[in-house]
């Protein structure tokens, strides 16, 4: 677990380093007295949790936490402070933990263990890439689809952001040059079945549901660059502006791509 700490007192940084050096599985990736430097570090480095002092001269910890969450929405935020009056403010921004100074090794170990558990729960196993070509990653590994239409059907579900894809729409977009008959319906059902079997093999079958007449993805159970772009995640905005292409192998995705080009990465919820 990679953590960072921001406190305007260097003594507090040294104490944190001492209290965490023997905690297994914890890597202090950065220690900062300057909140602006901490923000820049977070933009360029993956971190699981941030430990923040609240009373700091250049930017208080409450504001800093809000800016950090804009960069990394799933960041675990732990406030370390000697002032209990900030508890309500911390709760308003949905801080994960609140540690009051002075603290000892036992206190910091307990918070770190809870932060590790929370960080692990927040990380979804499935990541879906739509910028450029479509790919699905499970536990960091790309998933191979033996049936290209099954992969395309899943991409169509991703494009719908959790909305239902009917068999009629799937037939129109995936088998546009074929008559809508029993053979096409069977092809659709075969694609649904293969998606379900493939995901079940990885133990993530809960992200997709499909019956005889429709199918959909559970958008809340996956990470996706497209979804993050719509939320205004700065990293996703940068990726979109660099790539400028969306599901490029599928012609039906051109409408969504055009809409994204018009918004230039501005959230369009």
């Amino acid at each position: 677990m990679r953590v960072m700490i921001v406190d305007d007192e260097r003594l507090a940084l040294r104490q944190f380093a001492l209290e965490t050096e023997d905690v297994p599985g914890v890597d202090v990736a950065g220690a900062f007295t300057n909140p602006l430097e901490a923000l820049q570090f977070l933009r360029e480095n993956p971190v699981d949790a941030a430990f923040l002092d609240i009373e700091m001269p250049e930017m208080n910890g409450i504001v800093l936490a809000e800016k950090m969450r804009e960069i990394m929405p799933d960041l675990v935020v732990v406030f370390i402070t000697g002032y209990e009056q900030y508890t309500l403010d911390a709760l308003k921004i949905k801080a994960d933990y609140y540690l009051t100074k002075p603290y000892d090794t036992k206190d910091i170990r307990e918070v770190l263990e809870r932060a590790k558990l929370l960080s692990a729960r927040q990380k979804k196993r499935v990541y879906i890439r739509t910028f450029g070509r479509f790919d699905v990653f499970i536990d960091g590994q790309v998933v191979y689809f033996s049936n290209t239409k099954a992969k395309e059907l899943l991409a169509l579900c991703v494009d719908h952001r959790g909305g239902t894809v009917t068999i009629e729409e799937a037939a129109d977009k995936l088998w546009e040059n074929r008559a809508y008959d029993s053979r096409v319906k069977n092809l659709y059902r075969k694609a649904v079945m293969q998606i379900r079997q493939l995901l079940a093999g990885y133990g993530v079958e809960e992200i997709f549901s499909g019956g005889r007449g429709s199918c959909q993805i559970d958008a809340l159970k996956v990470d996706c660059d497209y979804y993050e772009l719509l939320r205004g995640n700065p990293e996703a905005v940068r990726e979109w502006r660099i790539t400028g292409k969306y599901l490029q192998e599928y012609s039906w995705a051109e409408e969504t791509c055009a809409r994204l080009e018009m918004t230039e990465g501005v959230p369009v919820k």
Side-chain angles (χ1 to χ4, degrees):
M1 179 182 186
R2 288 169 56 84
V3 305
M4 62 187 294
I5 178 171
V6 187
D7 195 309
D8 62 318
E9 297 181 2
R10 294 191 179 277
L11 182 61
L13 300 184
R14 288 197 292 271
Q15 181 190 358
F16 186 83
L18 288 172
E19 302 291 2
T20 56
E21 64 180 358
D22 294 326
V23 179
V26 174
D27 171 28
V28 180
F32 302 90
T33 57
N34 186 319
L36 297 178
E37 292 179 1
L39 283 174
Q40 185 58 39
F41 178 84
L42 188 63
R43 291 187 184 98
E44 301 171 355
N45 299 273
V47 173
D48 300 303
F51 290 75
L52 311 177
D53 186 22
I54 292 184
E55 284 211 342
M56 294 184 288
E58 294 188 33
M59 180 187 301
N60 72 48
I62 301 294
V63 175
L64 176 59
E66 291 176 330
K67 292 183 178 295
M68 284 182 158
R69 284 271 175 80
E70 290 176 2
I71 298 170
M72 193 171 294
D74 291 334
L75 182 71
V76 176
V77 173
V78 182
F79 285 119
I80 303 178
T81 181
Y83 302 92
E84 294 187 357
Q85 68 264 31
Y86 291 110
T87 304
L88 183 58
D89 292 329
L91 292 174
K92 284 181 180 179
I93 69 160
K94 295 183 172 64
D96 299 293
Y97 301 106
Y98 194 97
L99 190 61
T100 303
K101 296 177 181 178
Y103 59 86
D104 57 22
T105 302
K106 181 174 179 289
D107 294 327
I108 201 71
R109 279 176 177 266
E110 288 179 356
V111 171
L112 283 167
E113 288 300 319
R114 287 152 61 191
K116 281 197 289 185
L117 291 173
L118 180 59
S119 177
R121 286 200 300 269
Q122 289 177 337
K123 289 182 178 178
K124 300 179 178 69
R125 292 184 60 200
V126 181
Y127 172 73
I128 298 174
R129 183 175 63 199
T130 64
F131 298 165
R133 300 183 66 82
F134 178 68
D135 273 307
V136 178
F137 299 83
I138 299 178
D139 297 330
Q141 300 296 314
V142 67
V143 175
Y144 171 71
F145 289 78
S146 59
N147 183 332
T148 59
K149 289 300 182 183
K151 184 177 183 180
E152 186 175 359
L153 180 59
L154 185 60
L156 185 59
C157 290
V158 172
D159 182 70
H160 279 52
R161 298 160 53 194
T164 298
V165 175
T166 65
I167 186 173
E168 292 83 6
E169 180 182 4
D172 179 62
K173 291 183 175 177
L174 274 65
W175 295 279
E176 68 275 15
N177 296 321
R178 300 188 59 163
Y180 181 61
D181 55 19
S182 60
R183 285 175 294 184
V184 166
K185 292 178 183 178
N186 285 334
L187 289 172
Y188 162 82
R189 291 170 185 141
K190 181 180 179 182
V192 168
M193 180 185 67
Q194 292 190 333
I195 293 172
R196 296 176 71 171
Q197 290 177 342
L198 179 63
L199 296 176
Y202 285 92
V204 293
E205 60 271 25
E206 72 277 2
I207 74 166
F208 176 82
S209 58
R212 295 177 62 85
S214 65
C215 58
Q216 63 192 93
I217 194 168
D218 190 335
L220 297 177
K221 294 180 179 178
V222 302
D223 285 325
C224 176
D225 51 5
Y226 172 39
Y227 301 164
E228 288 302 307
L229 176 65
L230 298 183
R231 294 187 185 106
N233 183 311
E235 182 61 34
V237 172
R238 283 193 290 271
E239 289 178 7
W240 165 249
R241 288 175 175 167
I242 291 171
T243 308
K245 296 183 183 299
Y246 171 80
L247 298 177
Q248 64 185 52
E249 64 264 61
Y250 306 129
S251 60
W252 49 260
E254 293 174 359
E255 181 179 343
T256 301
C257 185
R259 186 169 66 250
L260 292 177
E261 288 173 348
M262 290 177 63
T263 61
E264 294 186 349
V266 177
V268 290
K269 295 180 182 178

